[in-house]
Amino acid sequence: MILKVVISVVCAVSVLTVGILIGHFGIDKGSSAPSWVNDVAKDVDEALIEKFLSEVDNMQIQENLRELTKVPHMATTPGDEQTVKLMLERWRDPETGLDDAWREEYMVYLSFPDTKNPNKVTVVSPSDTVIYTAREKEKPYTADQDDPEVVQPYAAYSPPGNPKGKLVYANQGKPSDYQELNKTVDLRGTIAITRYGGAGRAAKAINAAPYGVIGVLVYTDPLDINDGLMSDINETYPHSWYLPPSGVERGGFSTHYGDLRTPYLAAKEDTYRIPVEDITGIPPIPIQPIGFEDAYVLICELGGEAAPADWQGAFNCSYNIGGPGFKQTSAFNSSDVKLETFNHGELKNSSNVMGVIRGSVEPDRYVIYGNHRDSWVHGAIDPSSGTSVMLELTRVLGKMVKQGKWRPRRSIIFGSWGAEEFGLIGSAEYTEQYFTKLSERTVAYINVDIAVFGKKSLRRLLHENVFLVQVNAAGMESTSVYDNWIKYSNWTSPEHGLIPKMGHLTGAGSDYAAFVHYLGITAMDISYTYDRSKTNARIYPAYHTAYDTFDYASKYIDPGFFSHQAVARTAGNVLIRLADSLVLPLNCSDYAELLEMYLSRAVDLYQSKLQTISISMEPLKSAVASFRSAASHLDQMILSSDLAKETPMKVRRINDQLMLLDRAFLDPLAFPDKYAFRHVIWTSSSAGMSTFPGLADAFAKAESSGQSSDWDKVHYHLSVLSQNIAGAANTLVDVI
């Protein structure tokens, strides 16, 4: 399977580009120059980067992963505490450790199943006799699945309950799916079975409740994860990377991120907490994940009409919508599905492990590198592949610091976040606790969560390719990351021509969310992934299951750990350049290009309709043009100046303009219905359009409802965009 690197880059002047300044930055010091002059004018050391790249060891990463995955380490469990101690031990090592390492404690609200009373899914007759029982645990193939600390599959934050009703099939549980189903089926009092994908986990239940659905099941269809393969005799794990029939994806079922009981406050022991009944964004009805072997039994017995063609999956039967309920010819005829959940909420102490290498010239400027530590079970890929990479990266950098061979210009902060799987909690609480300091001082955030989805090819990170050319693609000594990435995934930029294609961090899929959406900090998320033209798998198949183990990772994801090594080299190269470059390697013109693309799409989609109701897009066009002019001016000034010969304050001023640009796109009032989303360019969108998200969502709603108040919202979002973009442009021009 050919795999690529997805290095999604957002904000930060959209694309982190290395090589803005090339050449030697010297300074005419004279004989009486003070000792600090050399340090102030010093730029990134290419020889040091080459040394770093040569010392990143794939076998060290392998052994890190082996150690991290010995036991399950769900958040706040003894296994999690074991990994906390491991991180502290490594980061305090006298020969390869950091300057300092410590733990940050938070008291957070988590959701767990009852170990003595497991959740159950059964088919029951009219007399309540159990006819069929779904698996409560995944089938063991190795000793890993038999570990007593393997948590039963469950939906975190699902309420307890015991609903019983006729079964219906609701595809992916999107609003449109329930709307379509409700046209022909009375959904009141039913249990809906849905498949992963299309809508968020919690949304599958949130979308169902208004129609009277009383419980939801969710499973992974083999069409979406296994390319249709279903047999563990010779097709799925342990014979390949595909998900076995009993595999169940666990997950946090919440639409918000951060601790649910302390919104916008750090979850310290004495922090005010909202009542549990006031929590929003969680399922209002019980929901439970099951394996596709059980889903097969239930779906293939459903009665009623055949579901639409695009609702059909990989099972060798018709996916019917349900009568509601089962076929008259089925052994389950007249039977109900009963869902019994015994989940409970609990305040638990969760730890972030923090480490720092202090900067020598600008210690009050931070480059932050993070990865969450907790997993649902053993978590070899999610998240321990990222943790194993971070440990190797800090080992190499820590050794250089301890030996006196290097100290970064700016401070580097490392974060091993806790309780991410329950809703990005550790990183969100950190940003809430240190909101002001991080907002004023953070240069960029680098996230490496799932370091490797699979093996073999790479996608590139930045337009200027210095550090991408320096790093070899996994297992390819003569092919660079840049070349391999552009080979498998590319697009034609109006400004740069053919370049590697990258995504944008528009959602809350990992710990970059609070940094991007809440604080407006430049961020990037780096991972090696598979060639999606070769498989329909929406993610690596063992995701969040008991099969995500060292055995799985070392056999089917990255044998030899060369992809892990390439990610470590790439991420470390970016990190060093952000920490050491005299002028931050951030390019404003690439941000301008993106805004122009969004504007062009918005004009095509919306202008003709808006003209009919006297709403003008001219202010938005003018703002984007102003941004392009200001960005080009600043980039040109940087390129044409010998900034090493300028005063340190001038360099600092330019760096602050680059660093703070994304903060100019924050609007705390723009998205009242989206918790902690404040970035008007990168916030999440449900409209599915490659344009400004708030405008796209507002237009879709207005077009659907036709109400004048909704068209007013469209006008409002146009004004928000115009003024934020114009304001951002003003931050790039010369100081008044």
Side-chain angles (χ1 to χ4, degrees):
M1 190 157 294
I2 302 210
L3 311 163
K4 309 175 202 162
V5 145
V6 173
I7 305 181
S8 295
V9 183
V10 71
C11 316
V13 222
S14 187
V15 181
L16 295 169
T17 73
V18 171
I20 287 180
L21 295 175
I22 301 174
H24 175 70
F25 289 89
I27 186 167
D28 184 7
K29 300 178 287 295
S31 59
S32 61
S35 59
W36 52 262
V37 171
N38 276 335
D39 290 337
V40 168
K42 190 176 180 181
D43 199 14
V44 65
D45 183 346
E46 296 294 339
L48 181 132
I49 288 177
E50 290 293 344
K51 179 174 175 57
F52 166 81
L53 297 177
S54 69
E55 292 194 5
V56 172
D57 188 339
N58 58 308
M59 289 296 100
Q60 289 276 359
I61 297 173
Q62 174 182 284
E63 293 313 304
N64 290 342
L65 189 67
R66 193 191 306 274
E67 182 69 24
L68 287 162
T69 56
K70 283 183 176 178
V71 297
H73 46 285
M74 187 169 67
T76 74
T77 64
D80 184 32
E81 177 62 19
Q82 201 169 308
T83 62
V84 168
K85 292 177 178 176
L86 174 64
M87 300 302 296
L88 287 171
E89 178 187 346
R90 296 289 186 89
W91 287 355
R92 289 172 176 171
D93 187 280
E95 295 182 355
T96 60
L98 309 177
D99 288 335
D100 196 8
W102 65 97
R103 60 197 296 166
E104 294 271 8
E105 306 282 356
Y106 300 98
M107 189 65 70
V108 302
Y109 181 72
L110 305 183
S111 167
F112 300 100
D114 186 338
T115 56
K116 296 180 180 179
N117 203 3
N119 297 344
K120 291 182 173 62
V121 176
T122 55
V123 178
V124 295
S125 70
S127 62
D128 223 28
T129 301
V130 175
I131 301 174
Y132 180 82
T133 302
R135 273 186 184 270
E136 294 176 10
K137 292 185 176 182
E138 289 145 305
K139 179 179 177 180
Y141 298 101
T142 70
D144 291 320
Q145 289 84 52
D146 277 329
D147 192 303
E149 292 300 311
V150 172
V151 68
Q152 176 207 5
Y154 78 111
Y157 301 113
S158 166
N162 56 353
K164 181 175 71 171
K166 301 299 181 189
L167 188 67
V168 295
Y169 171 56
N171 192 30
Q172 295 178 323
K174 303 186 297 290
S176 58
D177 293 333
Y178 288 112
Q179 187 177 13
E180 178 69 21
L181 192 57
N182 195 53
K183 291 177 182 178
T184 54
V185 178
D186 183 354
L187 295 177
R188 291 173 296 178
T190 61
I191 305 289
I193 185 168
T194 63
R195 57 207 263 191
Y196 276 118
R201 298 185 188 101
K204 297 177 189 298
I206 293 171
N207 296 338
Y211 292 94
V213 175
I214 58 175
V216 177
L217 304 177
V218 59
Y219 78 101
T220 303
D221 197 278
L223 184 66
D224 304 323
I225 204 77
N226 276 8
D227 298 314
L229 300 179
M230 294 175 54
S231 173
D232 64 352
I233 296 175
N234 58 2
E235 293 177 333
T236 68
Y237 183 78
H239 309 287
S240 75
W241 83 321
Y242 288 119
L243 179 69
S246 66
V248 183
E249 179 183 324
R250 299 148 179 82
F253 283 63
S254 170
T255 62
H256 300 339
Y257 64 86
D259 179 58
L260 295 176
R261 293 193 60 193
T262 59
Y264 298 112
L265 295 169
K268 292 299 185 177
E269 191 167 359
D270 57 355
T271 301
Y272 166 75
R273 286 172 168 78
I274 65 173
V276 171
E277 56 269 23
D278 290 345
I279 293 174
T280 58
I282 59 176
I285 55 177
I287 182 169
Q288 173 69 18
I290 61 174
F292 69 73
E293 69 174 359
D294 290 313
Y296 174 84
V297 172
L298 298 175
I299 287 175
C300 288
E301 296 298 320
L302 277 175
E305 300 175 2
D310 59 353
W311 290 27
Q312 300 294 317
F315 300 152
N316 59 353
C317 66
S318 172
Y319 285 54
N320 297 334
I321 60 176
F326 300 106
K327 305 172 188 173
Q328 290 185 351
T329 56
S330 169
F332 298 160
N333 178 33
S334 301
S335 298
D336 291 330
V337 168
K338 187 174 184 179
L339 170 57
E340 298 172 272
T341 57
F342 304 95
N343 302 342
H344 64 279
E346 191 175 345
L347 284 178
K348 299 282 283 186
N349 189 67
S350 179
S351 299
N352 291 340
V353 180
M354 308 302 300
V356 65
I357 299 175
R358 295 186 182 89
S360 59
V361 178
E362 301 179 77
D364 63 333
R365 289 294 179 261
Y366 311 146
V367 181
I368 305 177
Y369 183 112
N371 156 251
H372 76 94
R373 188 187 60 257
D374 66 300
S375 62
W376 283 113
V377 193
H378 293 84
I381 301 304
D382 183 12
S384 299
S385 62
T387 308
S388 63
V389 163
M390 182 163 65
L391 283 172
E392 175 60 3
L393 189 151
T394 56
R395 180 191 71 84
V396 177
L397 295 182
K399 183 179 178 182
M400 291 178 177
V401 170
K402 295 295 186 183
Q403 292 178 345
K405 295 179 179 178
W406 173 72
R407 181 162 293 280
R409 179 186 187 91
R410 303 174 185 93
S411 294
I412 301 174
I413 298 173
F414 295 95
S416 173
W417 313 120
E420 186 269 0
E421 296 292 6
F422 288 85
L424 317 182
I425 291 176
S427 57
E429 300 316 298
Y430 177 74
T431 61
E432 288 169 344
Q433 182 176 1
Y434 299 105
F435 177 89
T436 303
K437 181 167 71 170
L438 296 176
S439 296
E440 293 180 354
R441 301 179 181 179
T442 305
V443 169
Y445 174 69
I446 300 171
N447 193 66
V448 181
D449 180 345
I450 301 175
V452 180
F453 285 89
K455 51 185 187 207
K456 193 101 176 155
S457 96
L458 262 168
R459 288 205 320 193
R460 175 218 95 161
L461 177 60
L462 316 171
H463 290 164
E464 297 295 335
N465 58 23
V466 173
F467 64 85
L468 292 169
V469 170
Q470 282 182 304
V471 179
N472 289 329
M476 300 180 180
E477 291 303 318
S478 60
T479 303
S480 70
V481 167
Y482 182 93
D483 291 336
N484 209 36
W485 186 355
I486 205 170
K487 177 181 178 181
Y488 289 103
S489 183
N490 59 70
W491 73 291
T492 302
S493 159
E495 190 158 328
H496 302 282
L498 190 69
I499 60 172
K501 185 178 181 180
M502 59 200 130
H504 304 298
L505 302 181
T506 54
S510 190
D511 289 298
Y512 54 76
F515 293 93
V516 173
H517 302 300
Y518 187 50
L519 296 183
I521 290 170
T522 301
M524 60 190 301
D525 185 61
I526 305 177
S527 62
Y528 225 94
T529 191
Y530 46 88
D531 185 348
R532 294 177 189 270
S533 69
K534 306 297 185 190
T535 175
N536 288 323
R538 62 182 178 84
I539 197 167
Y540 73 97
Y543 175 68
H544 285 190
T545 74
Y547 306 111
D548 187 0
T549 62
F550 181 82
D551 178 72
Y552 180 85
S554 60
K555 285 181 179 176
Y556 302 117
I557 299 297
D558 190 19
F561 287 78
F562 297 110
S563 297
H564 284 78
Q565 183 182 45
V567 170
R569 286 171 169 169
T570 303
N573 200 338
V574 176
L575 178 64
I576 294 170
R577 292 178 184 280
L578 283 167
D580 270 358
S581 295
L582 176 65
V583 175
L584 291 172
L586 307 175
N587 187 322
C588 303
S589 293
D590 288 329
Y591 217 140
E593 181 177 89
L594 178 106
L595 295 179
E596 289 165 348
M597 290 169 56
Y598 272 18
L599 174 64
S600 176
R601 181 74 168 141
V603 168
D604 290 344
L605 290 169
Y606 311 134
Q607 181 167 264
S608 59
K609 172 63 179 178
L610 295 178
Q611 286 174 336
T612 67
I613 53 176
S614 301
I615 298 177
S616 174
M617 296 188 72
E618 292 308 311
L620 181 58
K621 295 177 184 178
S622 176
V624 172
S626 295
F627 187 91
R628 163 59 79 178
S629 176
S632 298
H633 172 76
L634 180 59
D635 283 348
Q636 187 57 41
M637 186 270 288
I638 293 171
L639 285 167
S640 62
S641 301
D642 189 354
L643 291 172
K645 295 182 179 179
E646 298 286 354
T647 66
M649 288 307 298
K650 180 173 182 179
V651 176
R652 176 81 163 204
R653 189 195 79 206
I654 291 170
N655 281 337
D656 282 354
Q657 287 178 289
L658 295 170
M659 178 182 77
L660 296 173
L661 175 59
D662 266 290
R663 318 296 200 270
F665 291 106
L666 296 180
D667 188 326
L669 303 179
F671 311 107
D673 298 329
K674 295 179 180 179
Y675 176 78
F677 281 86
R678 308 195 301 161
H679 201 296
V680 301
I681 308 301
W682 303 116
T683 193
S684 62
S685 171
S686 58
M689 300 296 179
S690 298
T691 187
F692 304 107
L695 177 62
D697 285 353
F699 190 94
K701 183 178 180 182
E703 197 169 41
S704 175
S705 72
Q707 307 225 346
S708 61
S709 60
D710 287 334
W711 287 113
D712 287 344
K713 273 291 187 184
V714 175
H715 196 174
Y716 168 75
H717 276 284
L718 271 171
S719 297
V720 166
L721 278 170
S722 302
Q723 295 190 20
N724 274 273
I725 293 171
N730 285 329
T731 69
L732 301 180
V733 299
D734 294 337
V735 177
I736 296 172

